[in-house]
Amino acid sequence: MGSGHGHGHAGATHRWRLRVAFVLIAAFFVVELVAGLTSGSLALLSDAGHMAADVVALGAALVATRIAGRDDTTGRRTYGSFRAEVFASGLAVLLMLGVAAYIAVEAVRRIGETPVVATGPMLVVGGLGLVVNVVALTLLRGGAAESLNVKGAYLEVVADTLGSVGVIAAGLLVAATGDAWWDTGIALAIAAFVAVRAAMLGREVLAVLGQHAPVGVRPDDVAAALGAVDGVRDVHDLHVWTLTSGMNVATAHLMTHQGTDPHEVLDAARHVMRSDFGVEHATLQVEPESHTGCHDVTW
């Protein structure tokens, strides 16, 4: 029952980064929301809306890392709950797209109107938001390359940082020109950036859920490397995919020449998978060349 072997996932290593970033973003969200409502700035409200998405995304990421590390008590989750982190990344994508859509709708609704925008609160809150986001960004950057879950949170904060810069720019431009259109235009630019980043992260999430080969690992190269192991005659039924960030897995059937020691083939093949492709968990079935059972598989 269960996975059988112990696993470590990248998200758990960086949980403390998510925790600190969550506290910072959640605290500042309240400040920015109040300032946005009192100033009438769409750029400030849009950034507050994105920060609200950050709070939910970071919270979901934290919960996901906790769930991913739990032991399976059902006996049915043979891969554990590691995919929870990928689902949390998917939630971050949906939240980012939702915020982008909301900003765009609000901007279109303002066309033809001349809203009064208080630039003072925009500049103060935008500056404070930039400081908070840079701190959170620095924290999350250390884990973004290793964990898709942390990367989702990192990209959320990247967009927030740009939003804070946009709020400051909008405040300065509105103050200098007296034209509130700058507030709306910059809000639309923030929405476009958020949507693009969400689409990029969404592609990575779908690749994991679709069990595509990990980035940088070509199945043809894996088959060739396994086929070059002494004693291996043929490689078939090869599958390689990502379970969650930092956990690549593979399965393959290795047909051997008559008289080959299967233990030596298995040890050599596992070494190839680990050293050449970074796959720690490779399930390899070693078969003699007289074996014909694989031909009975229908898919």
Side-chain angles (χ1 to χ4, degrees):
M1 278 192 188
S3 59
H5 295 285
H7 294 291
H9 58 107
T13 305
H14 302 287
R15 184 181 294 122
W16 70 272
R17 300 177 187 275
L18 290 168
R19 188 180 297 115
V20 176
F22 174 80
V23 172
L24 287 172
I25 298 296
F28 188 75
F29 158 69
V30 177
V31 175
E32 190 167 39
L33 178 62
V34 173
L37 291 172
T38 56
S39 68
S41 167
L42 180 59
L44 202 53
L45 279 175
S46 68
D47 196 42
H50 191 222
M51 272 209 165
D54 280 359
V55 172
V56 177
L58 286 166
L62 273 170
V63 172
T65 56
R66 180 66 64 185
I67 292 174
R70 290 190 315 188
D71 293 331
D72 176 36
T73 58
T74 67
R76 297 180 59 83
R77 300 186 183 98
T78 58
Y79 274 124
S81 300
F82 295 113
R83 277 281 167 89
E85 296 186 21
V86 181
F87 293 135
S89 299
L91 176 61
V93 170
L94 295 177
L95 289 171
M96 291 169 75
L97 291 174
V99 169
Y102 169 77
I103 297 170
V105 169
E106 283 297 303
V108 171
R109 189 179 62 81
R110 281 195 175 190
I111 293 177
E113 298 181 0
T114 55
V116 177
V117 178
T119 57
M122 287 179 65
L123 293 173
V124 173
V125 176
L128 290 174
L130 184 60
V131 173
V132 170
N133 283 317
V134 167
V135 172
L137 203 62
T138 303
L139 282 169
L140 296 175
R141 185 177 182 180
E146 299 178 18
S147 168
L148 189 62
N149 189 34
V150 177
K151 185 174 184 179
Y154 173 76
L155 289 180
E156 280 273 354
V157 179
V158 166
D160 255 347
T161 304
L162 181 69
S164 295
V165 173
V167 168
I168 295 171
L172 292 173
L173 289 168
V174 172
T177 65
D179 190 346
W181 181 90
W182 287 108
D183 180 60
T184 303
I186 288 178
L188 280 173
I190 294 172
F193 177 81
V194 171
V196 170
R197 300 300 289 185
M200 293 171 63
L201 177 61
R203 287 183 60 185
E204 293 187 51
V205 170
L206 290 176
V208 174
L209 295 179
Q211 294 185 292
H212 298 180
V215 176
V217 177
R218 290 172 50 85
D220 288 345
D221 293 341
V222 177
L226 291 175
V229 172
D230 288 342
V232 174
R233 175 184 174 183
D234 178 61
V235 178
H236 55 272
D237 286 349
L238 171 66
H239 304 279
V240 56
W241 68 100
T242 297
L243 182 59
T244 190
S245 302
M247 293 177 63
N248 296 334
V249 291
T251 62
H253 290 193
L254 310 179
M255 181 174 286
T256 60
H257 293 289
Q258 196 69 30
T260 301
D261 185 344
H263 297 288
E264 292 183 1
V265 170
L266 180 59
D267 290 343
R270 290 186 63 185
H271 175 73
V272 166
M273 294 302 297
R274 185 182 300 110
S275 61
D276 294 1
F277 303 103
V279 178
E280 292 286 339
H281 192 140
T283 304
L284 305 172
Q285 179 172 312
V286 181
E287 309 164 345
E289 59 184 345
S290 58
H291 178 71
T292 58
C294 292
H295 298 298
D296 297 331
V297 177
T298 59
W299 59 275

Coordinates of all heavy atoms in Angstrom, one line a residue, residues 63-157:
V63 N -1.6 25.6 2.4 CA -2.4 24.5 2.7 C -1.9 23.3 1.8 O -1.8 22.1 2.3 CB -3.9 24.7 2.4 CG1 -4.7 23.5 2.5 CG2 -4.4 25.8 3.4
A64 N -1.6 23.6 0.5 CA -1.2 22.5 -0.4 C 0.1 21.8 0.1 O 0.2 20.6 0.0 CB -1.1 23.0 -1.8
T65 N 1.0 22.6 0.5 CA 2.3 22.0 1.0 C 2.1 21.2 2.2 O 2.7 20.2 2.4 CB 3.4 23.1 1.3 OG1 2.8 24.0 2.3 CG2 3.7 23.9 0.1
R66 N 1.1 21.6 3.1 CA 0.8 20.8 4.2 C 0.1 19.5 3.8 O 0.5 18.4 4.3 CB -0.1 21.6 5.2 CG -0.5 20.8 6.4 CD 0.7 20.6 7.3 NE 1.2 21.8 7.8 CZ 2.4 21.9 8.5 NH1 3.0 20.8 8.9 NH2 2.8 23.1 8.9
I67 N -0.8 19.5 2.9 CA -1.5 18.3 2.4 C -0.6 17.4 1.7 O -0.6 16.2 1.9 CB -2.7 18.7 1.5 CG1 -3.8 19.5 2.3 CG2 -3.3 17.5 0.8 CD1 -4.9 20.0 1.4
A68 N 0.3 18.0 0.9 CA 1.3 17.1 0.2 C 2.2 16.3 1.1 O 2.6 15.2 0.7 CB 2.1 18.0 -0.8
G69 N 2.4 16.8 2.3 CA 3.4 16.1 3.2 C 2.7 15.1 4.1 O 3.3 14.4 4.9
R70 N 1.3 15.0 4.0 CA 0.6 14.1 4.9 C 0.8 12.7 4.4 O 0.8 12.4 3.3 CB -0.9 14.5 4.9 CG -1.2 15.8 5.6 CD -2.7 15.9 5.8 NE -3.5 15.6 4.6 CZ -4.8 15.8 4.6 NH1 -5.5 16.3 5.6 NH2 -5.4 15.4 3.4
D71 N 0.8 11.8 5.4 CA 0.8 10.3 5.1 C -0.6 9.9 4.6 O -1.6 10.4 5.1 CB 1.2 9.5 6.3 CG 2.6 9.7 6.7 OD1 3.4 10.0 5.8 OD2 2.9 9.6 7.9
D72 N -0.7 9.0 3.7 CA -1.9 8.5 3.2 C -2.5 7.5 4.2 O -1.9 6.5 4.5 CB -1.7 7.8 1.8 CG -3.0 7.2 1.3 OD1 -4.1 7.8 1.5 OD2 -2.9 6.1 0.7
T73 N -3.7 7.8 4.6 CA -4.4 6.9 5.6 C -5.5 6.0 4.9 O -6.1 5.2 5.6 CB -5.0 7.7 6.8 OG1 -6.0 8.6 6.2 CG2 -4.0 8.4 7.5
T74 N -5.7 6.3 3.6 CA -6.8 5.6 2.9 C -6.3 4.3 2.3 O -7.1 3.4 2.0 CB -7.4 6.4 1.9 OG1 -6.5 6.7 0.8 CG2 -7.9 7.8 2.4
G75 N -5.0 4.2 2.0 CA -4.5 3.1 1.3 C -4.8 3.1 -0.2 O -4.5 2.2 -1.0
R76 N -5.4 4.2 -0.7 CA -5.8 4.3 -2.1 C -5.0 5.3 -2.9 O -4.9 5.3 -4.1 CB -7.3 4.7 -2.2 CG -8.2 3.6 -1.6 CD -9.7 4.1 -1.8 NE -10.1 4.3 -3.2 CZ -10.4 3.4 -4.0 NH1 -10.5 2.1 -3.6 NH2 -10.8 3.7 -5.2
R77 N -4.4 6.2 -2.2 CA -3.6 7.3 -2.9 C -2.1 6.8 -3.0 O -1.3 7.1 -2.2 CB -3.6 8.6 -2.1 CG -5.0 9.1 -1.9 CD -5.0 10.5 -1.3 NE -6.3 11.0 -1.1 CZ -7.0 11.0 0.1 NH1 -6.4 10.4 1.1 NH2 -8.2 11.4 0.2
T78 N -1.9 6.0 -4.0 CA -0.5 5.4 -4.1 C 0.6 6.4 -4.4 O 1.7 6.0 -4.2 CB -0.6 4.3 -5.2 OG1 -1.0 4.9 -6.5 CG2 -1.6 3.2 -4.9
Y79 N 0.2 7.5 -4.8 CA 1.2 8.6 -5.0 C 1.1 9.7 -4.0 O 1.7 10.7 -4.1 CB 1.0 9.3 -6.4 CG 1.7 8.6 -7.5 CD1 1.1 8.1 -8.7 CD2 3.1 8.4 -7.5 CE1 1.7 7.5 -9.7 CE2 3.8 7.7 -8.5 CZ 3.1 7.3 -9.6 OH 3.8 6.7 -10.7
G80 N 0.4 9.3 -2.9 CA 0.2 10.3 -1.8 C -0.7 11.5 -2.3 O -1.5 11.3 -3.2
S81 N -0.4 12.7 -1.7 CA -1.2 13.9 -2.1 C -0.3 15.0 -2.7 O -0.6 16.2 -2.6 CB -2.0 14.4 -0.9 OG -2.8 13.4 -0.4
F82 N 0.8 14.6 -3.3 CA 1.7 15.6 -3.8 C 1.1 16.5 -4.9 O 1.5 17.6 -5.0 CB 3.0 14.8 -4.4 CG 3.7 14.1 -3.3 CD1 3.8 12.7 -3.3 CD2 4.4 14.8 -2.3 CE1 4.6 12.1 -2.4 CE2 5.1 14.2 -1.4 CZ 5.2 12.8 -1.4
R83 N 0.1 16.0 -5.6 CA -0.5 16.8 -6.7 C -1.3 18.0 -6.1 O -1.7 18.9 -6.8 CB -1.4 16.0 -7.5 CG -0.7 15.2 -8.6 CD -0.4 16.1 -9.8 NE 0.6 15.5 -10.7 CZ 0.2 14.7 -11.7 NH1 -1.0 14.4 -12.0 NH2 1.2 14.2 -12.5
A84 N -1.5 18.0 -4.8 CA -2.2 19.2 -4.2 C -1.5 20.5 -4.5 O -2.1 21.5 -4.7 CB -2.3 19.0 -2.7
E85 N -0.2 20.5 -4.6 CA 0.6 21.7 -4.9 C 0.3 22.1 -6.3 O 0.3 23.3 -6.6 CB 2.1 21.4 -4.7 CG 2.4 21.1 -3.2 CD 3.9 21.1 -3.0 OE1 4.7 21.6 -3.8 OE2 4.3 20.5 -2.0
V86 N 0.1 21.2 -7.2 CA -0.1 21.6 -8.6 C -1.5 22.2 -8.7 O -1.8 23.1 -9.5 CB 0.0 20.3 -9.6 CG1 -0.3 20.7 -11.0 CG2 1.4 19.7 -9.4
F87 N -2.5 21.6 -8.0 CA -3.8 22.2 -8.0 C -3.9 23.6 -7.4 O -4.6 24.4 -7.9 CB -4.8 21.3 -7.2 CG -5.0 19.9 -7.8 CD1 -5.0 18.8 -7.1 CD2 -5.3 19.8 -9.2 CE1 -5.2 17.5 -7.6 CE2 -5.5 18.6 -9.8 CZ -5.5 17.4 -9.0
A88 N -3.0 23.8 -6.4 CA -2.9 25.2 -5.8 C -2.4 26.1 -6.9 O -2.8 27.3 -7.0 CB -2.0 25.2 -4.6
S89 N -1.4 25.7 -7.7 CA -0.9 26.5 -8.8 C -2.0 26.8 -9.8 O -2.1 27.9 -10.3 CB 0.3 25.8 -9.4 OG 1.3 25.6 -8.5
G90 N -2.8 25.8 -10.1 CA -4.0 26.0 -11.0 C -4.9 27.1 -10.4 O -5.5 27.9 -11.2
L91 N -5.2 27.0 -9.1 CA -6.0 28.0 -8.5 C -5.5 29.4 -8.7 O -6.2 30.4 -8.9 CB -6.2 27.7 -7.0 CG -7.0 28.7 -6.2 CD1 -8.5 28.8 -6.7 CD2 -7.1 28.3 -4.7
A92 N -4.1 29.5 -8.5 CA -3.5 30.8 -8.7 C -3.7 31.4 -10.1 O -4.0 32.6 -10.3 CB -2.0 30.7 -8.4
V93 N -3.7 30.5 -11.1 CA -3.9 30.9 -12.5 C -5.3 31.4 -12.7 O -5.5 32.5 -13.3 CB -3.7 29.7 -13.4 CG1 -4.2 30.0 -14.8 CG2 -2.2 29.3 -13.5
L94 N -6.3 30.7 -12.1 CA -7.7 31.1 -12.2 C -7.9 32.5 -11.6 O -8.6 33.3 -12.1 CB -8.6 30.1 -11.6 CG -8.6 28.7 -12.4 CD1 -9.5 27.7 -11.6 CD2 -9.1 28.9 -13.8
L95 N -7.3 32.7 -10.4 CA -7.5 33.9 -9.7 C -6.8 35.1 -10.5 O -7.4 36.2 -10.6 CB -6.8 33.8 -8.3 CG -7.5 33.0 -7.3 CD1 -6.7 32.8 -6.0 CD2 -8.9 33.6 -6.9
M96 N -5.7 34.9 -11.0 CA -5.0 35.9 -11.8 C -5.8 36.3 -13.0 O -6.0 37.5 -13.4 CB -3.6 35.4 -12.2 CG -2.6 35.3 -11.1 SD -1.1 34.5 -11.5 CE -0.3 35.7 -12.5
L97 N -6.4 35.3 -13.7 CA -7.3 35.6 -14.9 C -8.5 36.3 -14.5 O -9.0 37.2 -15.2 CB -7.6 34.3 -15.6 CG -6.5 33.6 -16.3 CD1 -6.9 32.2 -16.9 CD2 -5.9 34.4 -17.5
G98 N -9.1 35.9 -13.3 CA -10.3 36.6 -12.8 C -10.0 38.1 -12.5 O -10.8 38.9 -12.8
V99 N -8.9 38.3 -11.8 CA -8.6 39.7 -11.5 C -8.3 40.5 -12.8 O -8.8 41.7 -12.9 CB -7.3 39.8 -10.6 CG1 -6.8 41.2 -10.5 CG2 -7.6 39.2 -9.2
A100 N -7.6 39.9 -13.8 CA -7.4 40.6 -15.0 C -8.7 41.0 -15.7 O -8.9 42.1 -16.3 CB -6.5 39.8 -15.9
A101 N -9.6 40.0 -15.7 CA -11.0 40.3 -16.3 C -11.7 41.4 -15.6 O -12.3 42.3 -16.3 CB -11.8 39.0 -16.4
Y102 N -11.7 41.4 -14.3 CA -12.4 42.4 -13.5 C -11.8 43.8 -13.8 O -12.6 44.7 -14.0 CB -12.2 42.1 -12.0 CG -12.7 43.2 -11.1 CD1 -14.1 43.4 -10.9 CD2 -11.8 44.1 -10.5 CE1 -14.5 44.5 -10.1 CE2 -12.2 45.1 -9.7 CZ -13.6 45.3 -9.5 OH -14.0 46.3 -8.7
I103 N -10.5 43.9 -13.8 CA -9.9 45.2 -14.1 C -10.3 45.7 -15.5 O -10.7 46.9 -15.7 CB -8.4 45.1 -14.0 CG1 -7.9 44.7 -12.6 CG2 -7.7 46.4 -14.5 CD1 -6.4 44.4 -12.5
A104 N -10.3 44.8 -16.5 CA -10.6 45.2 -17.8 C -12.1 45.7 -17.9 O -12.4 46.7 -18.6 CB -10.4 44.0 -18.8
V105 N -13.0 44.9 -17.3 CA -14.4 45.3 -17.3 C -14.6 46.7 -16.6 O -15.3 47.6 -17.1 CB -15.3 44.3 -16.5 CG1 -16.7 44.8 -16.3 CG2 -15.3 43.0 -17.4
E106 N -13.9 46.9 -15.5 CA -14.1 48.2 -14.8 C -13.5 49.3 -15.6 O -14.1 50.5 -15.6 CB -13.3 48.1 -13.4 CG -14.1 47.4 -12.4 CD -15.4 48.1 -12.0 OE1 -15.4 49.3 -11.7 OE2 -16.5 47.4 -12.2
A107 N -12.4 49.1 -16.3 CA -11.8 50.1 -17.2 C -12.8 50.5 -18.3 O -12.9 51.7 -18.6 CB -10.5 49.6 -17.7
V108 N -13.4 49.5 -18.9 CA -14.3 49.7 -20.0 C -15.5 50.5 -19.5 O -16.0 51.4 -20.1 CB -14.8 48.4 -20.7 CG1 -15.9 48.7 -21.6 CG2 -13.6 47.8 -21.4
R109 N -16.0 50.2 -18.3 CA -17.1 50.8 -17.7 C -16.9 52.3 -17.4 O -17.8 53.1 -17.5 CB -17.5 50.1 -16.4 CG -18.8 50.6 -15.8 CD -19.1 49.9 -14.5 NE -18.1 50.1 -13.5 CZ -18.1 51.2 -12.7 NH1 -19.0 52.1 -12.9 NH2 -17.1 51.3 -11.8
R110 N -15.6 52.7 -17.2 CA -15.3 54.1 -16.9 C -15.1 54.9 -18.2 O -14.9 56.1 -18.1 CB -13.9 54.1 -16.2 CG -14.1 53.8 -14.7 CD -12.9 54.2 -13.9 NE -13.1 54.0 -12.5 CZ -12.2 54.5 -11.6 NH1 -11.1 55.2 -11.9 NH2 -12.4 54.3 -10.3
I111 N -15.1 54.3 -19.4 CA -15.0 55.1 -20.6 C -16.1 56.1 -20.7 O -17.3 55.8 -20.5 CB -15.0 54.1 -21.8 CG1 -13.8 53.2 -21.8 CG2 -15.1 55.0 -23.1 CD1 -13.8 52.2 -23.0
G112 N -15.7 57.4 -20.9 CA -16.7 58.4 -21.0 C -16.9 59.1 -19.7 O -17.6 60.2 -19.6
E113 N -16.5 58.5 -18.6 CA -16.7 59.2 -17.3 C -15.5 60.0 -16.9 O -14.4 59.8 -17.5 CB -16.9 58.1 -16.2 CG -18.2 57.2 -16.4 CD -18.4 56.2 -15.3 OE1 -17.5 56.2 -14.4 OE2 -19.4 55.5 -15.4
T114 N -15.6 60.9 -16.0 CA -14.4 61.7 -15.5 C -14.4 61.5 -14.0 O -14.7 62.4 -13.2 CB -14.6 63.1 -15.8 OG1 -15.9 63.6 -15.3 CG2 -14.6 63.4 -17.3
P115 N -13.9 60.3 -13.5 CA -13.8 60.1 -12.1 C -12.8 61.0 -11.4 O -11.8 61.4 -12.0 CB -13.4 58.6 -12.0 CG -12.6 58.4 -13.3 CD -13.3 59.2 -14.3
V116 N -13.1 61.3 -10.2 CA -12.2 62.1 -9.4 C -11.2 61.2 -8.7 O -11.6 60.3 -7.9 CB -12.9 63.0 -8.3 CG1 -11.9 63.8 -7.5 CG2 -13.8 64.0 -9.1
V117 N -9.9 61.4 -8.9 CA -8.9 60.4 -8.3 C -8.0 61.2 -7.4 O -7.4 62.2 -7.8 CB -8.1 59.8 -9.4 CG1 -7.0 58.9 -8.8 CG2 -9.0 59.0 -10.4
A118 N -7.9 60.8 -6.1 CA -7.1 61.4 -5.1 C -5.7 60.8 -5.3 O -5.4 59.7 -5.0 CB -7.6 61.2 -3.7
T119 N -4.7 61.6 -5.8 CA -3.4 61.1 -6.1 C -2.5 60.9 -4.8 O -1.6 60.1 -4.9 CB -2.7 62.1 -7.1 OG1 -2.6 63.4 -6.5 CG2 -3.4 62.1 -8.4
G120 N -2.8 61.7 -3.8 CA -2.0 61.5 -2.6 C -2.0 60.1 -2.0 O -0.9 59.5 -1.9
P121 N -3.1 59.6 -1.7 CA -3.2 58.2 -1.2 C -2.6 57.2 -2.2 O -2.0 56.2 -1.8 CB -4.7 57.9 -1.0 CG -5.3 59.3 -0.8 CD -4.5 60.2 -1.7
M122 N -2.8 57.5 -3.5 CA -2.2 56.6 -4.5 C -0.7 56.4 -4.4 O -0.1 55.4 -4.4 CB -2.6 57.0 -5.9 CG -4.0 56.9 -6.3 SD -4.3 57.5 -8.0 CE -3.3 56.4 -9.0
L123 N -0.1 57.6 -4.2 CA 1.4 57.6 -4.2 C 1.9 57.0 -2.9 O 2.9 56.2 -2.9 CB 1.9 59.0 -4.3 CG 1.7 59.7 -5.7 CD1 2.0 61.2 -5.6 CD2 2.5 59.0 -6.8
V124 N 1.3 57.3 -1.8 CA 1.7 56.8 -0.5 C 1.5 55.3 -0.4 O 2.5 54.5 -0.1 CB 0.9 57.5 0.7 CG1 1.3 56.8 2.0 CG2 1.3 58.9 0.8
V125 N 0.3 54.8 -0.8 CA 0.0 53.4 -0.7 C 0.8 52.6 -1.8 O 1.3 51.5 -1.5 CB -1.5 53.1 -0.8 CG1 -1.8 51.6 -0.9 CG2 -2.2 53.8 0.3
G126 N 0.9 53.2 -2.9 CA 1.7 52.6 -4.0 C 3.2 52.3 -3.6 O 3.7 51.3 -3.8
G127 N 3.7 53.4 -2.9 CA 5.1 53.2 -2.4 C 5.2 52.2 -1.3 O 6.2 51.3 -1.4
L128 N 4.3 52.2 -0.4 CA 4.3 51.1 0.6 C 4.1 49.7 0.0 O 4.8 48.8 0.4 CB 3.2 51.4 1.7 CG 3.4 52.6 2.6 CD1 2.2 52.8 3.5 CD2 4.7 52.4 3.5
G129 N 3.2 49.6 -0.9 CA 3.0 48.4 -1.6 C 4.2 47.8 -2.3 O 4.5 46.6 -2.3
L130 N 5.0 48.8 -2.9 CA 6.2 48.4 -3.6 C 7.2 47.8 -2.6 O 7.8 46.7 -2.9 CB 6.8 49.6 -4.3 CG 8.0 49.3 -5.2 CD1 7.7 48.3 -6.3 CD2 8.5 50.6 -5.8
V131 N 7.3 48.4 -1.5 CA 8.3 47.8 -0.5 C 7.8 46.4 0.0 O 8.6 45.5 0.1 CB 8.3 48.8 0.8 CG1 9.2 48.2 1.9 CG2 8.9 50.1 0.3
V132 N 6.5 46.3 0.3 CA 6.0 45.0 0.8 C 6.2 43.9 -0.3 O 6.7 42.8 0.0 CB 4.5 45.1 1.1 CG1 3.9 43.7 1.4 CG2 4.4 46.0 2.4
N133 N 5.9 44.3 -1.6 CA 6.0 43.3 -2.6 C 7.5 42.9 -2.9 O 7.8 41.7 -3.2 CB 5.4 43.9 -3.9 CG 3.9 43.8 -3.9 OD1 3.3 42.8 -3.5 ND2 3.3 44.8 -4.3
V134 N 8.4 43.9 -2.8 CA 9.8 43.5 -3.0 C 10.3 42.6 -2.0 O 11.1 41.6 -2.3 CB 10.7 44.8 -3.1 CG1 12.2 44.5 -3.0 CG2 10.4 45.6 -4.3
V135 N 9.9 42.8 -0.7 CA 10.3 41.9 0.4 C 9.7 40.5 0.1 O 10.5 39.5 0.2 CB 9.8 42.4 1.7 CG1 10.1 41.3 2.8 CG2 10.5 43.7 2.1
A136 N 8.5 40.4 -0.3 CA 7.8 39.1 -0.6 C 8.5 38.4 -1.8 O 8.7 37.2 -1.8 CB 6.3 39.3 -0.8
L137 N 8.8 39.3 -2.8 CA 9.4 38.8 -4.0 C 10.8 38.1 -3.7 O 11.1 37.1 -4.2 CB 9.5 39.9 -5.0 CG 9.6 39.6 -6.5 CD1 8.4 38.9 -6.9 CD2 9.9 40.9 -7.2
T138 N 11.5 38.8 -2.9 CA 12.9 38.3 -2.5 C 12.7 37.0 -1.8 O 13.5 36.0 -2.0 CB 13.6 39.3 -1.6 OG1 13.7 40.6 -2.3 CG2 15.0 38.9 -1.3
L139 N 11.7 36.9 -0.9 CA 11.5 35.6 -0.2 C 11.2 34.5 -1.1 O 11.7 33.4 -1.0 CB 10.4 35.8 0.8 CG 10.7 36.5 2.1 CD1 9.4 36.8 2.9 CD2 11.6 35.7 3.0
L140 N 10.2 34.7 -2.0 CA 9.7 33.6 -2.9 C 10.6 33.3 -4.0 O 10.6 32.1 -4.5 CB 8.3 34.0 -3.4 CG 7.2 34.2 -2.3 CD1 6.0 34.7 -3.0 CD2 7.0 32.9 -1.6
R141 N 11.5 34.2 -4.4 CA 12.4 33.9 -5.5 C 13.3 32.7 -5.3 O 13.6 32.0 -6.2 CB 13.2 35.2 -5.8 CG 14.1 35.0 -7.1 CD 14.8 36.3 -7.3 NE 15.6 36.2 -8.6 CZ 16.4 37.1 -9.0 NH1 16.5 38.3 -8.4 NH2 17.1 36.9 -10.1
G142 N 13.6 32.5 -4.0 CA 14.5 31.4 -3.7 C 13.9 30.1 -3.9 O 14.7 29.1 -4.1
G143 N 12.6 30.0 -3.9 CA 12.0 28.6 -4.1 C 11.2 28.5 -5.4 O 10.8 27.4 -5.8
A144 N 11.2 29.6 -6.2 CA 10.4 29.6 -7.5 C 10.9 28.6 -8.5 O 10.2 28.0 -9.3 CB 10.3 31.0 -8.0
A145 N 12.3 28.5 -8.5 CA 12.9 27.6 -9.5 C 12.7 26.1 -9.2 O 12.8 25.3 -10.1 CB 14.4 27.9 -9.6
E146 N 12.4 25.8 -7.9 CA 12.3 24.4 -7.5 C 10.9 23.9 -7.4 O 10.7 22.7 -7.5 CB 13.1 24.2 -6.2 CG 14.6 24.6 -6.3 CD 15.2 24.4 -4.9 OE1 14.7 23.7 -4.1 OE2 16.3 25.0 -4.7
S147 N 10.0 24.8 -7.1 CA 8.6 24.4 -6.8 C 7.6 25.1 -7.7 O 7.6 26.4 -7.7 CB 8.3 24.6 -5.3 OG 6.9 24.5 -5.1
L148 N 6.8 24.4 -8.4 CA 5.7 25.0 -9.2 C 4.7 25.7 -8.4 O 4.2 26.8 -8.7 CB 5.0 23.9 -10.1 CG 4.0 24.4 -11.1 CD1 4.7 25.3 -12.2 CD2 3.3 23.2 -11.8
N149 N 4.5 25.2 -7.2 CA 3.6 25.8 -6.2 C 4.1 27.2 -5.8 O 3.4 28.2 -5.8 CB 3.5 24.9 -5.0 CG 2.4 25.3 -4.0 OD1 1.4 25.9 -4.4 ND2 2.6 25.1 -2.8
V150 N 5.4 27.2 -5.4 CA 6.0 28.5 -5.0 C 6.1 29.4 -6.2 O 6.0 30.7 -6.1 CB 7.4 28.3 -4.4 CG1 8.1 29.6 -4.0 CG2 7.3 27.4 -3.2
K151 N 6.4 28.9 -7.4 CA 6.4 29.7 -8.6 C 5.1 30.4 -8.9 O 5.1 31.6 -9.3 CB 6.8 28.8 -9.8 CG 7.1 29.7 -11.1 CD 7.6 28.8 -12.2 CE 7.9 29.7 -13.4 NZ 8.4 28.8 -14.6
G152 N 4.0 29.7 -8.6 CA 2.7 30.3 -8.8 C 2.6 31.5 -7.9 O 2.1 32.6 -8.3
A153 N 3.0 31.4 -6.6 CA 2.9 32.5 -5.7 C 3.9 33.6 -6.1 O 3.5 34.8 -6.0 CB 3.2 31.9 -4.3
Y154 N 5.0 33.2 -6.5 CA 6.0 34.2 -7.0 C 5.5 35.0 -8.1 O 5.7 36.3 -8.1 CB 7.3 33.4 -7.4 CG 8.4 34.3 -8.0 CD1 9.2 35.1 -7.2 CD2 8.6 34.3 -9.3 CE1 10.2 35.9 -7.7 CE2 9.6 35.1 -9.9 CZ 10.4 35.9 -9.1 OH 11.4 36.7 -9.6
L155 N 4.9 34.4 -9.1 CA 4.4 35.2 -10.2 C 3.3 36.1 -9.8 O 3.1 37.2 -10.4 CB 3.9 34.2 -11.3 CG 5.0 33.5 -12.1 CD1 4.5 32.5 -13.1 CD2 6.0 34.4 -12.7
E156 N 2.5 35.6 -8.9 CA 1.4 36.5 -8.3 C 2.0 37.8 -7.7 O 1.6 38.9 -8.0 CB 0.7 35.8 -7.2 CG -0.4 34.8 -7.7 CD -1.7 35.5 -7.9 OE1 -1.8 36.7 -7.6 OE2 -2.6 34.8 -8.5
V157 N 3.1 37.6 -7.0 CA 3.8 38.8 -6.4 C 4.5 39.6 -7.4 O 4.6 40.8 -7.3 CB 4.7 38.3 -5.2 CG1 5.4 39.5 -4.6 CG2 3.9 37.5 -4.2

